[in-house]
Amino acid sequence: MATNQPIHPTQSTGPMRRLFTEHPRSLGMTWASHAAGAVKIGTELIGAGCAALVHAVVPGWFTETAGKTVTRIYGHIQSRKANAPDPENWPDYEI
């Protein structure tokens, strides 16, 4: 006889688990800490993109902003990868 017991959110499987918790856990992070990091990096990249657009119109402004931001974020991601328990299986798209 089947029971209709609700599944606790931390015990869920399937697409919801894959979409919300599998990737952060594979990086040793919680959903909240991963979200905070992704928002921070995303905001920095949006700022760098805006600086690049302004630079396109006025070449003397923001001459190094976008490049330095991308280089710094790339360095951050590479250092996290290097310090991971299993760097060979670290995703290239990690945030």
Side-chain angles (χ1 to χ4, degrees):
M1 178 160 89
T3 60
N4 290 332
Q5 293 179 340
I7 297 175
H8 191 274
T10 59
Q11 297 173 336
S12 67
T13 61
M16 295 306 281
R17 179 177 175 266
R18 183 177 54 80
L19 288 172
F20 291 97
T21 61
E22 191 172 279
H23 172 65
R25 284 185 183 161
S26 74
L27 303 173
M29 303 172 81
T30 65
W31 177 88
S33 65
H34 182 272
V39 167
K40 181 180 183 296
I41 288 174
T43 302
E44 291 181 67
L45 289 172
I46 289 170
C50 290
L53 292 172
V54 170
H55 174 73
V57 176
V58 184
W61 290 354
F62 303 112
T63 58
E64 299 178 3
T65 304
K68 283 185 176 183
T69 301
V70 170
T71 300
R72 183 175 41 74
I73 291 171
Y74 179 77
H76 166 74
I77 291 169
Q78 291 305 306
S79 72
R80 283 192 46 117
K81 179 179 180 177
N83 294 320
D86 188 7
E88 295 303 315
N89 289 323
W90 192 262
D92 290 335
Y93 54 84
E94 180 278 331
I95 293 182

